[in-house]
Amino acid sequence: MESPEDLCFTEEGCSHDIILEKQLFRSKVLESHVQLACSLHYCAFPLNGNELCIWNNGDSPAHHQPLHLVGHHHSITALAFGSKINPLLVCSASYDYVIVWNLDECTKKVLQGLMPRGIVIGTLLGMVLYVRFSPDDQAVAVCAGNRIYMLSAKNEAILAELEGHLAPVTAAEFCTWERNMLISVSEDRSFKVWDYCTGLLIYQSSVLTVFPLLSLFIDEENKQIITGCADGQLWIFSLLSEHHYRCVVHINLNKEQEKFYSKTGKSRQQLDQIQKFSKLHSPSDMRPEETVETTLPVLRIEHCDQSVNLGKEENFLPAVNARCLWIGSSTGLFIINLANFELEAVLHYKDYSGLSIQFAGSCTLMRKAVNGKVFCLLTSMFENMIALLEINLAALMRCQQNDFLLYGKEKRLSVFASCSLLPNSPLCTESFKKESNKPTNKKKLGIKGTLKDQSLVFHSKIKSSGYTAAPQMTMFSPKTILKKNSKLSQCKSSCKRKNKEYPLENSPPTKSETQISVTNKPTSIRCIQYSGDGELLACGLADKSLLVFNSNLTGTPAVFSGHDGAINSVGWSHDKKWLVSASEDRTLRIWSVRSREPALFLGKEMFHKSVRFAQFYYIDTFILLCCGAEFHLLNCYLDMSKDDQKRYKQKSICKSVQKFPMASTVEITSLSAINDFYSYIILTAGSNRALEVFDLNAGCSAAVIPDAHSRSVHQICQNEGSAFSTQPLEAYNLFMTAAIGDGIKLWDLRTLRCERRFQGHINRCHPCGIAISPCGQFIACGSEDKSAYIYEMRTSTFSHKLAGHTESVINVAFNPSSPQLTTATLDGKLQLFLP
């Protein structure tokens, strides 16, 4: 045993003891691949092969002598502490015996000068790789070879024998909320779920990977299991009965590490400086650093206690305070966030040359932090050493998240307009409405005279050609006889009440009520959006047409025709009088909802590429649109009046205020802004996979998030709420992004951090749409398996799967006034769902 060496570093104003090697033990044999154990106050590890060493983590000098327990003849390969504190049990296993020790009794016997003895509960079971106590400490699961033995913790008795794995079982854990349930992983690359009382196999997974599974962890809060393999990959599966053990997410630790360093490039430089500092001050007997190419085998998965106080900065880091896990590997420790499945911190052993162990063969960590410190027990992969490390979690997080903290303090981005407009702001442009109030003659304004509805021939004695007369016959009368749904009409009548608020306690809309085809032949529905009052639904189709339905999808839709290409986007004005549509024909049109005629037409001479997205902005003051690598801010005055002699000439006026290029991208793939209240923030996504935030009050880019997804974002969806619901102010700073093959991510504008990731739906080819419910509790998304999915905002796996569609669901929309969800498919069908 050697004296501890304190490692203290100073980094740009933050001086903290990040890691401390508390104790170093030297063994006579190599203890590289064994199961180690840590409890709240004790650590257990094998020493000299067949000795069990118990170390008390207390700071009292009296506790600096370990407790040695002897009883095995062969090398100890697995250790585990009991679930209860009083009495505290520890189980040790070797090829010859499985022994349970009572630490209180053993300590008393040692103080009396007697030899402590444990209870042998198993004999000659084979090579034991893992042991685990049951939640009540009455039984012990022993993984020996391809079998799992359920042994009594009080005497030598085999309660059950679980057979089924085709290779050695590497880990097993008890499910605390399901009685008699045990989960195991094996080198056969699968996991199994058992009823350990009856010995029955409940579920068997398929082969997950080509590498053996090494570790297992049960997340009791989310009711999930996490398993890791020898190649640095993690899988999370849901244990909820209705989820049928589905995979929630697959994580590649190597890729996440690369993304972490790309996001925190400055932090990586700081770690390099630490390493150089450590080399300069390392003891003379330390060996020079060796460059070894390694993988990241997942040796241990453990809960990370985030109750430590990070100081005033924690208000800017909601993701850091989420539930996290320690991932122990051969080269270092990782902290991974269970909400967004991204790394929060990385600690490599080689970055601290004062540590005696650079490559670990085994690893275990303490579940709870003591005074902000976490103990980690390591065994060396190549040398006969065991090290006890003390990690200052707050210092580690503060050091590696320093860039985010400083950025959050400086920028303070918010979707709300918190200050008045700057004098040189692009939003200070004078409105055309003010110009229209100037005194002008009637002819210039296009105001009609006193004679109304005149024929085109103005002589009183000549009979009119009849162009103004009403039609004498109905040319087209579609079938509109639909079965009236009492539940649907009741829902619509209730939402028409002005004082009726959106129900916050309702379950999500999951029951199919109506399904219609928008055209006679299959036509892709490119975009859908509800009006602000929830009464109308606009749909843009691939056949160049724009349709407006009643929100209950009954009656004949209003047709808006004029585009010569597929409709890319459609948006409502705040006053529900206008529709803006953008098309592949490089045109933009603003339509009057009442007359169904275009009030403004912007043609190909203005846009060099197709307009990907267009919307009203700043409570209908401006129009936002993206074309190519820039987005345009337009100021428009809409006038539907017509000159009798020049009816072809539009009287609406449009002026380009400013163009904003997105940095380092070829094309803007998505754009989003709030129109329901005054906001200066514009969100853009580019083909370079980045997100960029623009502040139009300052008229410049405010922030860039590189590599937001593994592929370019095809939709940004902000949490706008609605006029019928109220959410906390902080919730409006949340927004979602979706990318093909990379799921959905939830972001916080204040920190520009991904707070949660949602996976489970299928999105490999088509850009499937997303939507947030007006109450802010649910997320809907399309999927290519002919279903729509609903996620709850606080969980990463879907809660409902809405089947019954005939093709891929590519667009979804929530009704802002009532709990309704409309889905749109690739073959041109709309489907309405109610709670």
Side-chain angles (χ1 to χ4, degrees):
M1 186 173 68
E2 299 179 2
S3 60
E5 180 179 356
D6 197 353
L7 304 179
C8 180
F9 305 103
T10 302
E11 304 173 2
E12 297 187 3
C14 82
S15 176
H16 300 283
D17 300 338
I18 297 176
I19 190 167
L20 168 69
E21 188 174 281
K22 293 280 286 185
Q23 296 293 336
L24 181 65
F25 304 90
R26 294 193 180 273
S27 177
K28 294 179 181 179
V29 297
L30 187 65
E31 311 281 4
S32 58
H33 300 292
V34 296
Q35 180 195 0
L36 307 173
C38 266
S39 70
L40 186 61
H41 300 292
Y42 295 93
C43 291
F45 53 91
L47 194 65
N48 303 326
N50 59 357
E51 290 183 31
L52 172 57
C53 189
I54 307 294
W55 176 262
N56 192 317
N57 299 325
D59 293 328
S60 172
H63 295 156
H64 280 175
Q65 291 300 321
L67 175 65
H68 293 268
L69 303 177
V70 180
H72 293 275
H73 300 293
H74 291 76
S75 296
I76 297 174
T77 55
L79 295 165
F81 281 102
S83 305
K84 297 181 179 180
I85 299 177
N86 188 18
L88 181 60
L89 304 178
V90 62
C91 178
S92 59
S94 64
Y95 186 87
D96 53 357
Y97 297 127
V98 179
I99 304 176
V100 173
W101 310 81
N102 187 320
L103 286 190
D104 293 336
E105 293 181 0
C106 291
T107 304
K108 290 179 182 178
K109 287 188 177 182
V110 169
L111 294 176
Q112 295 171 2
L114 302 175
M115 177 69 70
R117 301 183 65 178
I119 302 173
V120 177
I121 62 171
T123 305
L124 297 176
L125 298 179
M127 183 65 177
V128 178
L129 296 181
Y130 200 87
V131 294
R132 177 63 66 197
F133 277 94
S134 62
D136 57 3
D137 284 352
Q138 297 299 309
V140 179
V142 179
C143 304
N146 300 359
R147 302 179 179 182
I148 304 171
Y149 296 93
M150 296 300 304
L151 306 180
S152 170
K154 296 181 179 180
N155 50 51
E156 190 170 0
I158 298 178
L159 304 178
E161 188 174 335
L162 310 179
E163 294 184 72
H165 281 291
L166 304 178
V169 182
T170 53
E173 298 289 343
F174 290 89
C175 184
T176 56
W177 65 90
E178 289 286 347
R179 189 177 179 184
N180 305 334
M181 181 182 285
L182 180 77
I183 302 165
S184 61
V185 295
S186 167
E187 291 183 7
D188 64 8
R189 301 157 293 164
S190 68
F191 75 89
K192 298 185 189 304
V193 182
W194 310 85
D195 185 329
Y196 62 83
C197 283
T198 61
L200 295 177
L201 179 63
I202 300 175
Y203 176 81
Q204 175 179 334
S205 75
S206 59
V207 174
L208 303 181
T209 175
V210 297
F211 296 91
L213 300 179
L214 301 181
S215 53
L216 179 66
F217 178 81
I218 294 186
D219 182 4
E220 299 178 2
E221 182 177 327
N222 296 322
K223 292 182 171 53
Q224 297 172 342
I225 62 169
I226 300 100
T227 182
C229 74
D231 192 38
Q233 298 183 73
L234 294 162
W235 289 264
I236 300 180
F237 294 90
S238 176
L239 291 181
L240 295 174
S241 57
E242 61 270 20
H243 291 175
H244 306 292
Y245 305 98
R246 66 168 176 247
C247 181
V248 176
V249 69
H250 170 223
I251 304 169
N252 189 317
L253 206 55
N254 291 278
K255 291 184 178 180
E256 291 301 326
Q257 182 179 226
E258 293 175 5
K259 288 197 294 185
F260 176 80
Y261 285 141
S262 67
K263 289 192 304 182
T264 59
K266 187 176 179 182
S267 297
R268 178 69 233 181
Q269 295 172 7
Q270 292 172 353
L271 289 177
D272 292 340
Q273 291 176 2
I274 294 173
Q275 186 176 344
K276 292 178 182 178
F277 178 87
S278 300
K279 288 179 185 177
L280 292 174
H281 295 79
S282 59
S284 58
D285 61 340
M286 292 298 295
R287 62 191 181 282
E289 181 186 6
E290 299 176 2
T291 303
V292 180
E293 211 173 297
T294 61
T295 57
L296 298 174
V298 182
L299 303 177
R300 188 73 173 186
I301 307 173
E302 192 56 83
H303 168 70
C304 180
D305 187 5
Q306 291 292 94
S307 61
V308 296
N309 184 17
L310 297 181
K312 298 179 180 178
E313 296 90 348
E314 63 182 350
N315 294 330
F316 302 102
L317 291 173
V320 173
N321 294 327
R323 187 172 176 82
C324 295
L325 290 180
W326 283 104
I327 306 296
S329 185
S330 58
T331 59
L333 300 173
F334 305 87
I335 298 178
I336 194 164
N337 191 311
L338 283 182
N340 56 25
F341 310 118
E342 295 180 355
L343 292 179
E344 296 288 351
V346 175
L347 190 153
H348 283 292
Y349 307 133
K350 67 181 181 64
D351 289 331
Y352 305 91
S353 59
L355 294 182
S356 302
I357 296 177
Q358 302 292 314
F359 295 96
S362 300
C363 168
T364 190
L365 295 114
M366 186 182 297
R367 288 184 63 90
K368 291 188 177 182
V370 178
N371 299 324
K373 308 292 178 64
V374 177
F375 288 97
C376 174
L377 190 62
L378 301 177
T379 64
S380 176
M381 183 179 292
F382 306 115
E383 299 179 82
N384 304 340
M385 294 189 297
I386 302 104
L388 179 63
L389 309 180
E390 184 184 75
I391 303 170
N392 189 326
L393 182 58
L396 176 65
M397 300 292 284
R398 188 181 294 110
C399 166
Q400 301 204 4
Q401 304 294 337
N402 204 26
D403 291 345
F404 292 122
L405 293 173
L406 294 176
Y407 188 85
K409 286 182 176 180
E410 291 173 0
K411 293 296 181 179
R412 292 277 192 162
L413 292 175
S414 175
V415 74
F416 296 103
S418 57
C419 61
S420 59
L421 284 174
L422 300 175
N424 57 348
S425 172
L427 303 179
C428 282
T429 305
E430 287 189 17
S431 173
F432 288 115
K433 295 181 181 180
K434 295 181 180 178
E435 298 177 5
S436 65
N437 291 333
K438 296 178 182 179
T440 318
N441 57 49
K442 291 183 178 181
K443 184 176 181 181
K444 188 172 182 180
L445 284 175
I447 301 176
K448 296 181 180 181
T450 55
L451 295 176
K452 298 182 179 180
D453 299 328
Q454 276 278 22
S455 305
L456 292 180
V457 181
F458 299 103
H459 302 288
S460 59
K461 295 183 180 180
I462 299 178
K463 190 175 181 181
S464 170
S465 59
Y467 291 139
T468 61
Q472 301 298 317
M473 60 180 293
T474 302
M475 299 298 295
F476 174 70
S477 179
K479 293 182 180 180
T480 60
I481 303 175
L482 296 174
K483 185 178 179 181
K484 190 172 181 180
N485 191 300
S486 59
K487 185 175 181 180
L488 182 62
S489 59
Q490 180 182 0
C491 181
K492 291 305 300 176
S493 61
S494 64
C495 73
K496 287 182 180 179
R497 303 171 191 168
K498 292 185 179 180
N499 296 328
K500 183 72 173 179
E501 292 188 0
Y502 190 94
L504 300 179
E505 302 300 329
N506 267 26
S507 58
T510 57
K511 297 179 181 179
S512 178
E513 294 295 329
T514 305
Q515 187 183 70
I516 63 170
S517 297
V518 296
T519 56
N520 295 328
K521 58 182 180 179
T523 303
S524 174
I525 302 176
R526 302 284 297 267
C527 49
I528 59 175
Q529 190 179 47
Y530 275 101
S531 59
D533 57 5
E535 295 296 320
L536 299 174
L537 177 70
C539 304
L541 309 183
D543 67 354
K544 314 172 188 178
S545 60
L546 174 62
L547 306 180
V548 175
F549 292 85
N550 290 327
S551 60
N552 55 11
L553 303 183
T554 59
T556 305
V559 181
F560 298 75
S561 58
H563 279 293
D564 197 25
I567 308 296
N568 286 331
S569 76
V570 60
W572 290 89
S573 64
H574 185 262
D575 58 12
K576 299 92 178 174
K577 295 180 180 179
W578 312 96
L579 271 173
V580 59
S581 60
S583 171
E584 286 289 338
D585 61 3
R586 290 164 47 195
T587 64
L588 178 141
R589 296 172 188 261
I590 299 180
W591 309 82
S592 169
V593 177
R594 175 175 293 183
S595 65
R596 307 181 190 179
E597 294 182 0
L600 179 67
F601 170 80
L602 300 180
K604 300 178 181 179
E605 67 281 353
M606 188 171 182
F607 309 114
H608 63 285
K609 288 186 176 181
S610 62
V611 182
R612 294 290 298 266
F613 183 85
Q615 71 162 84
F616 289 92
Y617 172 59
Y618 214 65
I619 311 188
D620 298 347
T621 307
F622 301 96
I623 296 290
L624 281 175
L625 63 93
C626 58
C627 177
E630 59 188 10
F631 71 89
H632 301 233
L633 180 67
L634 307 179
N635 194 3
C636 300
Y637 170 62
L638 304 178
D639 186 0
M640 286 298 295
S641 63
K642 299 288 184 179
D643 191 306
D644 287 332
Q645 296 180 349
K646 297 181 180 180
R647 298 184 64 85
Y648 61 89
K649 187 175 182 181
Q650 64 180 18
K651 311 200 90 176
S652 299
I653 306 171
C654 178
K655 181 178 75 173
S656 176
V657 178
Q658 192 171 335
K659 298 178 182 179
F660 298 87
M662 187 176 175
S664 305
T665 190
V666 176
E667 186 175 19
I668 294 178
T669 57
S670 184
L671 179 143
S672 180
I674 300 292
N675 186 46
D676 289 340
F677 54 83
Y678 291 113
S679 174
Y680 305 145
I681 297 297
I682 308 295
L683 304 176
T684 61
S687 55
N688 60 348
R689 300 176 296 159
L691 292 174
E692 190 163 358
V693 183
F694 289 85
D695 183 354
L696 289 203
N697 190 23
C700 64
S701 174
V704 177
I705 307 174
D707 299 322
H709 282 267
S710 59
R711 300 180 69 176
S712 57
V713 174
H714 63 256
Q715 185 180 352
I716 302 174
C717 180
Q718 290 182 265
N719 183 26
E720 302 183 38
S722 77
F724 300 87
S725 65
T726 302
Q727 299 183 35
L729 290 180
E730 296 80 8
Y732 293 96
N733 285 303
L734 301 176
F735 65 95
M736 317 277 302
T737 57
I740 295 176
D742 199 27
I744 303 169
K745 289 186 178 182
L746 174 68
W747 303 81
D748 191 331
L749 181 63
R750 297 165 297 173
T751 59
L752 298 179
R753 294 174 56 95
C754 174
E755 300 297 333
R756 188 172 290 279
R757 200 160 93 190
F758 303 88
Q759 288 190 336
H761 59 286
I762 299 174
N763 187 197
R764 301 190 184 103
C765 303
H766 302 287
C768 297
I770 55 176
I772 303 177
S773 64
C775 60
Q777 298 178 8
F778 305 107
I779 299 160
C781 70
S783 179
E784 294 170 11
D785 59 353
K786 302 180 183 180
S787 302
Y789 288 78
I790 292 182
Y791 295 85
E792 292 183 10
M793 189 69 81
R794 297 185 178 183
T795 59
S796 297
T797 184
F798 63 88
S799 58
H800 297 86
K801 180 179 179 180
L802 312 182
H805 299 86
T806 55
E807 250 295 352
S808 298
V809 180
I810 56 175
N811 278 292
V812 292
F814 280 102
N815 191 313
S817 63
S818 60
Q820 297 180 1
L821 174 68
T822 299
T823 60
T825 62
L826 199 61
D827 61 351
K829 291 184 180 179
L830 293 174
Q831 194 161 342
L832 181 65
F833 292 86
L834 296 178

